[in-house]
Amino acid sequence: MESPSAPAYRGLVPRQGLLLAASLLTLWSLPSTAQLTIESVPPNAAEGKDVLLRVHNLPGDLVGYAWYKGETVDSDLRIVSYVIDTQKTTYGPAYSDREKIYPNGSLLFQNVTLKDTGYYTLHATEKNFQSKQVTGQLRVYPTLFTFWSLPTTAQLTVESVPPNAAEGKDVLLRVHNLPGNLFGYAWYKGEIVDSSRKIISYVIDTQTTTPGPAHSVRETIYPNGSLLFQKVTLKDSGYYTLLATGKDLQNKQVTGQLRVYPSLLTLWSLPTTAQLTIESVPPSAAEGKDVLLRAHNLPGDLGGYAWYKGETVDSNHKIVSYVIDTQKITYGPAYSDREKIYPNGSLLFQNVTRKDTGYYILLAIDKNFLSKSVTGQLRVYLELPKPNITSNNSNPEAHKDPVVLTCEPRTQNTTYLWLINSQSLLVSSRLQLSKDNRTLTLLPVTRNDTGPYECETRNPVSAGRSDPFTLNVLYGPDAPTISPSNSHYLRGTNLNLSCHAASNPPAQYSWFFNGRPHHPTQELFIRNVTSNDSGSYTCLAHNSVTGLNRTTVKTITISEPVGKPSIRASNVTVTEHKDAVVLTCLTNDTGISIQWLFKNQSLLLTDRMKLSQDNSTLTIDPVRREDAGDYHCEVFNLVSSGISEPLRLDVQSSLLTLWSLPTTAQLTIESVPPNAAEGKDVLLRVHNLPGNLIGCIWYKGEIVDTSHRIISYVIDTQTTTLGPAHSGRETIYPNGSLLSQGVTLQDTGYYTLLATRNDLQHAQVTGQLRVYPSLLTLWSLPTTAQLTIESVPPNAAEGKDVLLRVHNLPGNLGSYSWYTGGKVDNSHQIVSYVIDTQTTTPGPASSGRETIYPNGSLLFQNVTLKDTGYYTLLVTDKDYQSMQVTGQIRVYPSLLTLWSLPTTAQLTIESVPPSAAEGKDVLLRAHNLPGDLGGYAWYKGETVDSNHKIVSYVIDTQKITYGPAYSDREKIYPNGSLLFQNVTRKDTGYYILLAIDKNFLSKSVTGQLRVYHLPYFLKNSS
């Protein structure tokens, strides 16, 4: 069509174009039997031209017609409608102000654009509400000034239809832009892919649908991936995730949201602005029941409505129509004599069959000939019978026969589930399910597969569970066990042996003595045994069905009873720290063992005690006061024992007393004194420290927590390091004991000692300190004690903490002040403290790193070389008498500034890869390990627990030590990283790396290992 030369008028075609259009539309009626068609004039148009969609063969006796954009009748896409009797034109949402409808139904497009390209549908309605529709196409091509750019790759998205839904409505999560070459997809409740939250999955090739744990029987998945929720509730609100898996096992996932709002409306009628919907009541029905397709939110001023079977308005599929004014009902070709239409538009299906399943369209037309259509769904299912289980072999042999269990009967649209011991099936390579889950195969059967088994059948209207089914698995016999476990018996006693082997059917038993048949019974009894009964006893177990035999041999020894021993002593009265004593156990028996008892307990040997090779002689050199008491010696063989009369050893006191405990005794803590008044000193004395130690650390409380560390001590370097919980009153000794000076009520509680050996093994023990209140508020020392200052430690490396500890403070004090240098100068004052008010005031020389304690001690944190020098303490009593003393700090340079890492380089663990499939290798890579390390250790879990230790590594000796949690698949590297080979799902979890430096300071960090398996629907399809 050429551009007209005459001028155009606003909103109209040019005059010549109008005349041309009128001439084309005058007479074009064809025989009534001709088919309704649409012709585009011209067939192809350039941008900016006019196009006429000409209608051919309109039927007679019409009410009117309407045009829609697209290939379906959708009120949101209506362009324009025309009522013939009133000649009324009504514009719809898709009207662009460039379309004009003619009385013969044709539609003119003016000044077309590329966006107008596409399909258009004409819907013509007769006066009896029969309707016809036809679709035509408009093609617009670009001018030379227009370039057609292709869209970018469309993104996978989820759309909620409708965006917001009231309780009880249906909602579709519609999927857009699914990628090609898919294997299948699965829906999950929430924002993460979690098998416990799986709703449903779908395998494309087999068209298999499998419900998951989160399936509520109201969800339906479609082949295009969309998910329908029926009759939503408020609990359905939230996020839902779609996981789409390609045939190359690559995954894509997207999350959508479902919004459900509560409604106070108890009736089905809603405001006229509500959306027209159809509700199936009930949502799913069994055959033979009645179902109502209830219409909600019909628009007002209706002329009538009609129901169609299927998803399109097609007169051949019309079921029934209803004219409101005349109450006239007209039945269509799809009417089955079981449908009943109601004045409110709802349609009742009576005695439904499975053939009724499908979609149904309601077309509502108002008196202005505007129409709305909506589609509903009717679902009919078979009422399921009670299932039962059949087996190809009810008496299989273990590790030999396969077993096939089948859930009967086979029914369509049924979900099959299996239970073992009333529990869901566990994943196993021996258990195989058919594609429809109806058949369970055990390859091969084992003795643990007896069951009972149950199968469940489900569809939306019914469910059933079979009676339990048990397999009689034949197995055995296993190697028999002979009880009791004793192999040695005393002459004259009775011998009673019993044999048992696991077997089905039960085994038959027989006995052999030294290879000769004895008794064909399960139990063997011999009265009053003698040495002639010593020898080998064999039990043979036989299974008459499997034909297998198994034997076990037990050697029995008959022994004589032992006599009573006696003790001979070199001296029974000795002096502590001076004399030695030799005790000898005398016996006439041979082939016996000897042990020593002290105070009726097994003797714990110390480094002062020595035993002869046969244990008959005990030497104590020198004796101590704790060695005094009764000694026994006991002689025994495997069936009898004898014990001597007691021999009492008296130990006389000496002026020299040493504190020493047996090296084999248990690590313990003793509070000296057990209870202390406020202001006193208390020693937490350590007993029985293990040998080969690196050092030890004290913590406040019952757990090892770096924030509660009081003090640590490294044995080789004799280095003491103060921790966050140090109060300035604690001193650690080389033997691990801890002195608390001037204790307060706040010191009451538990204290934990952690001792670490050179192989990074730990020993830990907790003790208790008890402080009771006293009328004395200050701990005063004798007046003869001299006020002194001690530097702890005496020499310190840069970056360490140093305490100037004050000893022998006088009583009745009012305050004290610290100064830099050897004299009192206000310009050099660091800090002052007033006792009554507990007020601390920093002075001009304060660096912000000094802390003063109530006992006068001064802590320097993170010392530098500039801190080296003298410091003076001025103490003033309440009578304003003063005393001063000077101490010294020595700081030496160190290549190691701080063991702790810079704040920008934090110790971390990286899992490479972040997530791994079963059978792959995973590396827990350590980043930013601190320098000057002594070694490190890995633990399974989130706490440092020796029972969960996997492996440790000592750097200097390159020694690797494996712990209880080592599985033979872990490998530690010199840089601290840990390799897991051939991981399993049991490896999933947290792991701790503990790094310890040569000053015995430790850091720990936790990492995570994630192992996944293929999605469940992939396994079902295999």
Side-chain angles (χ1 to χ4, degrees):
M1 183 181 291
E2 297 296 325
S3 176
S5 58
Y9 291 87
R10 180 176 180 84
L12 301 173
V13 297
R15 291 191 185 93
Q16 293 179 1
L18 183 60
L19 293 172
L20 173 62
S23 66
L24 291 174
L25 298 173
T26 52
L27 291 172
W28 57 277
S29 60
L30 291 176
S32 58
T33 57
Q35 187 177 6
L36 178 63
T37 60
I38 294 176
E39 174 193 7
S40 174
V41 182
N44 301 286
E47 285 186 283
K49 301 298 183 179
D50 294 350
V51 179
L52 179 71
L53 292 184
R54 175 182 289 160
V55 180
H56 295 279
N57 308 323
L58 270 176
D61 199 24
L62 286 178
V63 176
Y65 25 72
W67 279 94
Y68 299 84
K69 188 165 186 177
E71 298 181 74
T72 58
V73 173
D74 185 341
S75 59
D76 293 331
L77 301 179
R78 184 167 58 87
I79 302 169
V80 65
S81 63
Y82 182 81
V83 180
I84 293 173
D85 289 343
T86 62
Q87 299 183 4
K88 181 178 179 181
T89 300
T90 305
Y91 300 108
Y95 179 68
S96 70
D97 201 33
R98 295 180 292 107
E99 298 87 2
K100 181 177 180 182
I101 195 169
Y102 292 100
N104 67 354
S106 298
L107 184 67
L108 177 68
F109 289 81
Q110 297 171 300
N111 195 22
V112 294
T113 68
L114 287 175
K115 293 182 179 179
D116 294 328
T117 298
Y119 292 94
Y120 293 83
T121 297
L122 171 67
H123 185 73
T125 303
E126 300 173 5
K127 290 183 179 179
N128 64 354
F129 286 104
Q130 299 291 326
S131 61
K132 286 184 180 289
Q133 72 183 54
V134 65
T135 299
Q137 189 173 8
L138 191 156
R139 300 179 183 87
V140 182
Y141 59 87
T143 64
L144 294 177
F145 301 101
T146 305
F147 295 92
W148 179 67
S149 59
L150 285 172
T152 58
T153 304
Q155 187 178 6
L156 178 63
T157 58
V158 174
E159 173 194 9
S160 174
V161 181
N164 301 285
E167 285 186 286
K169 300 298 183 181
D170 293 353
V171 178
L172 179 71
L173 292 184
R174 177 181 289 160
V175 180
H176 295 279
N177 309 320
L178 269 175
N181 199 31
L182 282 181
F183 185 93
Y185 25 74
W187 279 95
Y188 298 84
K189 188 163 187 179
E191 297 182 75
I192 58 174
V193 173
D194 183 343
S195 59
S196 65
R197 297 182 179 180
K198 190 176 82 164
I199 301 170
I200 196 168
S201 62
Y202 181 83
V203 179
I204 294 173
D205 289 345
T206 61
Q207 300 181 5
T208 303
T209 301
T210 305
H215 191 262
S216 70
V217 193
R218 295 181 291 108
E219 298 87 1
T220 302
I221 195 168
Y222 292 105
N224 66 354
S226 299
L227 184 66
L228 176 68
F229 289 80
Q230 297 173 297
K231 208 167 188 181
V232 293
T233 68
L234 287 175
K235 292 182 179 179
D236 294 326
S237 291
Y239 292 95
Y240 293 81
T241 297
L242 170 69
L243 179 71
T245 302
K247 292 185 177 178
D248 58 358
L249 299 187
Q250 297 296 314
N251 292 327
K252 284 196 176 184
Q253 72 182 61
V254 64
T255 299
Q257 188 173 8
L258 192 155
R259 301 177 182 87
V260 183
Y261 60 85
S263 175
L264 297 175
L265 302 176
T266 55
L267 298 175
W268 67 267
S269 62
L270 289 175
T272 56
T273 56
Q275 188 177 7
L276 176 61
T277 59
I278 295 175
E279 175 192 8
S280 175
V281 183
S284 300
E287 283 190 296
K289 302 294 183 180
D290 295 349
V291 179
L292 179 70
L293 292 184
R294 176 181 288 162
H296 292 278
N297 312 322
L298 279 169
D301 198 27
L302 281 180
Y305 25 74
W307 280 92
Y308 298 84
K309 185 167 187 177
E311 297 184 74
T312 59
V313 174
D314 185 341
S315 59
N316 293 324
H317 295 161
K318 191 177 82 163
I319 301 170
V320 64
S321 62
Y322 181 84
V323 179
I324 294 174
D325 290 343
T326 63
Q327 299 183 6
K328 180 179 180 181
I329 297 174
T330 305
Y331 299 107
Y335 179 69
S336 71
D337 201 32
R338 293 179 294 107
E339 297 87 2
K340 180 179 180 181
I341 195 168
Y342 291 100
N344 65 355
S346 299
L347 183 65
L348 177 68
F349 290 79
Q350 297 171 304
N351 194 22
V352 293
T353 70
R354 290 170 65 188
K355 291 183 179 179
D356 294 327
T357 296
Y359 293 94
Y360 293 83
I361 287 183
L362 169 64
L363 181 68
I365 304 173
D366 66 14
K367 293 181 179 179
N368 292 323
F369 191 59
L370 297 178
S371 64
K372 286 196 175 187
S373 65
V374 65
T375 301
Q377 189 174 6
L378 192 155
R379 301 175 183 86
V380 182
Y381 295 89
L382 180 70
E383 188 91 34
L384 294 175
K386 180 177 179 177
N388 64 284
I389 297 175
T390 61
S391 172
N392 69 325
N393 188 349
S394 296
N395 298 289
E397 187 172 336
H399 304 292
K400 180 179 178 182
D401 296 332
V403 173
V404 179
L405 302 179
T406 304
C407 190
E408 300 287 1
R410 181 194 296 273
T411 52
Q412 293 182 345
N413 300 319
T414 301
T415 299
Y416 295 89
L417 299 174
W418 286 92
L419 302 162
I420 300 180
N421 294 318
S422 299
Q423 301 292 324
S424 298
L425 288 181
L426 297 176
V427 177
S428 171
S429 59
R430 294 189 307 102
L431 302 180
Q432 295 183 2
L433 287 168
S434 59
K435 288 183 178 180
D436 60 359
N437 281 12
R438 197 171 75 91
T439 299
L440 173 64
T441 304
L442 292 81
L443 294 171
V445 71
T446 71
R447 70 180 65 182
N448 297 322
D449 294 331
T450 56
Y453 295 84
E454 295 169 284
C455 76
E456 284 188 1
T457 55
R458 295 180 184 175
N459 67 16
V461 298
S462 62
R465 179 180 289 194
S466 70
D467 292 330
F469 180 88
T470 302
L471 287 173
N472 180 33
V473 181
L474 308 176
Y475 61 88
D478 291 349
T481 57
I482 299 175
S483 58
S485 59
N486 299 342
S487 296
H488 296 265
Y489 288 82
L490 190 63
R491 175 179 51 81
T493 58
N494 297 331
L495 176 64
N496 190 358
L497 299 179
S498 177
C499 186
H500 179 268
S503 177
N504 184 36
Q508 300 167 347
Y509 300 94
S510 56
W511 286 92
F512 297 81
F513 175 59
N514 290 334
R516 299 188 305 274
H518 201 276
H519 289 292
T521 60
Q522 187 172 2
E523 292 193 0
L524 175 67
F525 180 78
I526 301 176
R527 188 185 303 276
N528 195 18
V529 294
T530 67
S531 59
N532 293 330
D533 296 312
S534 295
S536 62
Y537 290 78
T538 301
C539 172
L540 183 144
H542 172 70
N543 186 317
S544 60
V545 177
T546 64
L548 298 177
N549 296 319
R550 296 296 295 273
T551 60
T552 295
V553 178
K554 187 180 187 69
T555 300
I556 300 295
T557 303
I558 310 299
S559 302
E560 297 292 329
V562 299
K564 182 176 182 179
S566 60
I567 299 178
R568 181 178 65 207
S570 61
N571 197 350
V572 294
T573 302
V574 290
T575 303
E576 65 170 336
H577 305 304
K578 178 182 178 183
D579 295 336
V581 67
V582 179
L583 304 180
T584 304
C585 186
L586 304 175
T587 179
N588 294 322
D589 294 301
T590 59
I592 46 89
S593 300
I594 299 175
Q595 74 167 351
W596 289 88
L597 305 176
F598 176 56
K599 295 181 179 178
N600 293 319
Q601 300 289 330
S602 293
L603 177 65
L604 297 175
L605 293 177
T606 71
D607 56 355
R608 299 176 295 102
M609 299 177 179
K610 292 183 181 179
L611 287 171
S612 61
Q613 188 172 359
D614 62 357
N615 284 4
S616 63
T617 301
L618 170 64
T619 303
I620 306 175
D621 185 13
V623 294
R624 291 185 180 174
R625 184 167 48 188
E626 59 263 28
D627 297 329
D630 290 339
Y631 289 80
H632 295 79
C633 78
E634 183 182 17
V635 297
F636 55 91
N637 59 23
L638 294 174
V639 294
S640 65
S641 64
I643 191 167
S644 70
E645 294 294 334
L647 182 142
R648 183 168 188 81
L649 181 65
D650 293 325
V651 180
Q652 297 178 349
S653 299
S654 172
L655 294 177
L656 177 61
T657 301
L658 293 175
W659 174 70
S660 173
L661 286 177
T663 57
T664 58
Q666 187 178 6
L667 177 63
T668 58
I669 295 174
E670 173 192 8
S671 175
V672 182
N675 300 285
E678 285 187 284
K680 299 297 184 182
D681 292 354
V682 178
L683 179 69
L684 293 182
R685 176 181 289 161
V686 179
H687 295 276
N688 310 320
L689 265 178
N692 199 25
L693 284 182
I694 295 175
C696 39
I697 307 177
W698 280 94
Y699 297 86
K700 188 163 187 178
E702 296 183 75
I703 59 174
V704 172
D705 183 342
T706 54
S707 64
H708 294 163
R709 182 167 57 88
I710 301 170
I711 194 167
S712 63
Y713 181 80
V714 180
I715 293 172
D716 289 346
T717 62
Q718 299 181 6
T719 304
T720 300
T721 305
L722 308 181
H726 192 269
S727 70
R729 295 179 290 107
E730 296 87 3
T731 302
I732 194 169
Y733 292 103
N735 67 355
S737 298
L738 182 69
L739 176 67
S740 293
Q741 296 173 298
V743 294
T744 68
L745 288 175
Q746 292 181 348
D747 294 327
T748 297
Y750 292 95
Y751 293 78
T752 297
L753 170 67
L754 179 70
T756 302
R757 298 195 318 218
N758 290 336
D759 59 0
L760 300 187
Q761 296 293 320
H762 297 294
Q764 170 178 332
V765 65
T766 299
Q768 188 173 8
L769 191 154
R770 300 177 183 86
V771 183
Y772 59 86
S774 170
L775 295 176
L776 300 175
T777 57
L778 289 174
W779 176 67
S780 60
L781 286 174
T783 57
T784 56
Q786 187 177 2
L787 179 64
T788 59
I789 294 176
E790 173 194 11
S791 174
V792 181
N795 301 286
E798 285 183 279
K800 300 296 183 180
D801 295 348
V802 178
L803 180 71
L804 291 183
R805 176 179 289 154
V806 180
H807 295 278
N808 308 323
L809 272 173
N812 197 32
L813 283 180
S815 65
Y816 23 75
S817 300
W818 280 94
Y819 301 82
T820 61
K823 62 180 182 178
V824 175
D825 183 343
N826 289 338
S827 64
H828 293 166
Q829 188 189 57
I830 301 170
V831 67
S832 64
Y833 181 85
V834 179
I835 293 172
D836 288 345
T837 62
Q838 299 182 6
T839 304
T840 301
T841 305
S846 174
S847 69
R849 295 179 291 108
E850 299 87 357
T851 301
I852 194 168
Y853 292 101
N855 65 354
S857 299
L858 184 66
L859 175 68
F860 289 76
Q861 296 172 299
N862 196 18
V863 293
T864 68
L865 289 174
K866 293 181 180 180
D867 293 325
T868 298
Y870 292 94
Y871 294 82
T872 298
L873 170 67
L874 176 68
V875 297
T876 305
D877 66 11
K878 294 182 178 179
D879 296 326
Y880 296 101
Q881 299 295 317
S882 63
M883 182 184 300
Q884 70 183 56
V885 64
T886 299
Q888 188 175 5
I889 287 182
R890 299 178 183 87
V891 182
Y892 59 88
S894 171
L895 294 176
L896 301 174
T897 53
L898 280 175
W899 178 81
S900 58
L901 288 171
T903 56
T904 56
Q906 188 177 6
L907 177 61
T908 58
I909 293 175
E910 174 193 13
S911 175
V912 182
S915 299
E918 287 183 286
K920 301 296 184 180
D921 293 351
V922 179
L923 180 70
L924 292 185
R925 177 181 290 159
H927 293 278
N928 309 321
L929 275 172
D932 198 32
L933 279 181
Y936 24 73
W938 281 92
Y939 298 82
K940 186 166 187 179
E942 297 183 74
T943 59
V944 174
D945 183 345
S946 58
N947 293 324
H948 295 161
K949 191 179 85 164
I950 302 170
V951 65
S952 63
Y953 180 85
V954 180
I955 293 174
D956 288 344
T957 62
Q958 299 182 4
K959 181 179 179 181
I960 296 174
T961 305
Y962 300 107
Y966 179 69
S967 71
D968 203 32
R969 295 179 293 107
E970 297 87 355
K971 181 179 180 182
I972 195 167
Y973 291 98
N975 66 354
S977 300
L978 184 65
L979 176 69
F980 289 79
Q981 297 171 303
N982 193 22
V983 294
T984 69
R985 290 174 64 192
K986 291 183 179 179
D987 294 326
T988 297
Y990 292 94
Y991 293 81
I992 286 186
L993 169 63
L994 181 69
I996 304 174
D997 72 358
K998 292 181 179 179
N999 290 325
F1000 194 53
L1001 298 177
S1002 63
K1003 279 187 180 285
S1004 65
V1005 64
T1006 301
Q1008 189 173 7
L1009 192 155
R1010 301 177 182 88
V1011 182
Y1012 62 88
H1013 64 101
L1014 291 179
Y1016 179 61
F1017 67 79
L1018 293 180
K1019 294 190 176 182
N1020 283 348
S1021 67
S1022 61

